[in-house]
Amino acid sequence: MATRFAPSPTGLLHLGHAFAAFMAWEEAARSSTSCLLRLEDIDVSRTRPEFTNAIFTDLAWLGLSWPTPVWLQSQRMPAYADALTTLDRLGLLYPCFCTRQDLLTIDAPQGPDGPLYQGTCRSLSTMQRDDLIASGKPFALRLDSTRAISLAGPLTWTDLNLGPQPANPALLGDAVLARKDIRSSYHLAVVVDDAAQHISVVTRGDDLFASTHLHRLLQALLNLPAPLYRHHRLIRDDLGRRLAKRDGARSLQSLRQNGLSPADIRQLLDLH
Ligand code: GLU
């Protein structure tokens, strides 16, 4: 039983990450469990060793410690492939050949993560799919959410702040579970790994609240246990925008180099 902090080593950590880390370690302390560190590094083109090292340095500086070895998603591709096989055998995946440009030009309603996929490739015939695959056109794998939802039936999950939530995975539409360049995706990897690491409480930002509906569905389809969730507030800049990694001035590294202490960081985050 454990909780976890799961940053992606694709940039320097900022105040928002420090807050998320404090929340995760606090949750672990509350339930006398450990907080595991997981590096969400499946996007190898954006992952850099200096960012991984900075994560270790920043967290240690904040006074946080974690069991080793650190969990690396980049080493988990066989487990993600197995999960894709399970979903495929259930008839719940389809190849999507749409390009970024195709997705931009289709007028689609907005979902929590961007425009909802309108299902262009869901209606391709088997022959059309086979021809496109044979022609070498790259494809992602999407979840057929309508079928998946009807197969799983009604589901609920529990947010420790808000109580029981009826799962509404339709919010995210036919999510990508394997990217064109990487045979996994954030949604797939997070669900498979939270189960494999026996995570009992997932703490993460409110920005991922909608994703939890989809994660609950994937847990049901893959026959994995559902952890409890606690979604926390997001740290925003003076203009009310959520902090982003490209906002380098607020990296923990630069704050440290400017002479701030871990206590100053807690104060900036309104944590006492
Ligand atoms: N890797 C994600 C991020 O850096 C966190 C995912 C999660 O906690 O589920 O935003």
Side-chain angles (χ1 to χ4, degrees):
M1 302 294 266
T3 185
R4 59 19 171 220
F5 178 58
S8 305
T10 54
L12 293 172
L13 300 188
H14 51 58
L15 278 174
H17 295 106
F19 185 71
F22 283 134
M23 293 299 103
W25 264 267
E26 233 170 62
E27 191 71 51
R30 216 182 341 255
S31 39
S32 307
T33 58
S34 35
C35 184
L36 306 181
L37 179 59
R38 177 168 82 217
L39 297 183
E40 303 216 320
D41 60 347
I42 54 172
D43 192 343
V44 282
S45 66
R46 292 173 58 221
T47 293
R48 298 230 296 268
E50 60 268 36
F51 295 138
T52 298
N53 289 332
I55 288 172
F56 298 149
T57 307
D58 290 344
L59 294 178
W61 176 66
L62 291 174
L64 304 171
S65 58
W66 54 92
T68 51
V70 169
W71 192 273
L72 301 178
Q73 287 195 324
S74 54
Q75 295 181 358
R76 299 268 305 148
M77 297 313 285
Y80 310 143
D82 284 350
L84 289 171
T85 303
T86 303
L87 296 172
D88 193 37
R89 289 207 178 118
L90 293 168
L92 299 177
L93 297 181
Y94 63 89
C96 173
F97 304 89
C98 291
T99 61
R100 221 172 264 270
Q101 198 53 34
D102 293 334
L103 298 177
L104 284 176
T105 46
I106 298 168
D107 193 20
Q110 281 294 317
D113 278 349
L116 284 180
Y117 185 60
Q118 292 302 286
T120 319
C121 290
R122 191 177 48 227
S123 45
L124 293 177
S125 68
T126 312
M127 207 160 75
Q128 285 171 313
R129 280 178 190 163
D130 290 349
D131 284 351
L132 284 164
I133 292 173
S135 75
K137 200 163 160 61
F139 60 91
L141 292 173
R142 286 186 183 270
L143 181 70
D144 184 333
S145 57
T146 310
R147 284 174 88 150
I149 290 166
S150 81
L151 182 69
L155 298 166
T156 55
W157 55 275
T158 300
D159 184 281
L160 289 170
N161 294 333
L162 301 173
Q165 305 289 315
N168 182 10
L171 272 179
L172 281 99
D174 287 1
V176 170
L177 297 189
R179 292 166 38 167
K180 283 182 182 169
D181 54 338
I182 300 164
R183 293 282 98 179
S184 184
S185 72
Y186 161 66
H187 296 301
L188 183 75
V190 81
V191 163
V192 170
D193 284 350
D194 282 339
Q197 293 188 280
H198 306 289
I199 300 300
S200 45
V201 184
V202 171
T203 64
R204 60 185 178 198
D206 267 339
D207 53 331
L208 290 167
F209 192 92
S211 296
T212 304
H213 293 297
L214 169 64
H215 297 178
R216 181 68 195 93
L217 173 62
L218 294 176
Q219 286 150 6
L221 298 169
L222 294 168
N223 211 6
L224 301 174
L228 300 168
Y229 289 85
R230 194 189 295 279
H231 294 92
H232 58 72
R233 68 183 165 93
L234 299 178
I235 303 303
R236 298 184 180 276
D237 66 13
D238 297 342
L239 297 172
R241 292 174 310 199
R242 195 179 121 197
L243 297 188
K245 277 184 180 152
R246 59 183 171 274
D247 186 6
R250 281 178 193 259
S251 73
L252 296 177
Q253 192 178 81
S254 70
L255 294 171
R256 180 166 65 248
Q257 283 162 359
N258 286 332
L260 271 75
S261 69
D264 297 328
I265 301 291
R266 292 188 75 93
Q267 199 161 19
L268 280 173
L269 296 169
D270 268 331
L271 291 171
H272 306 287

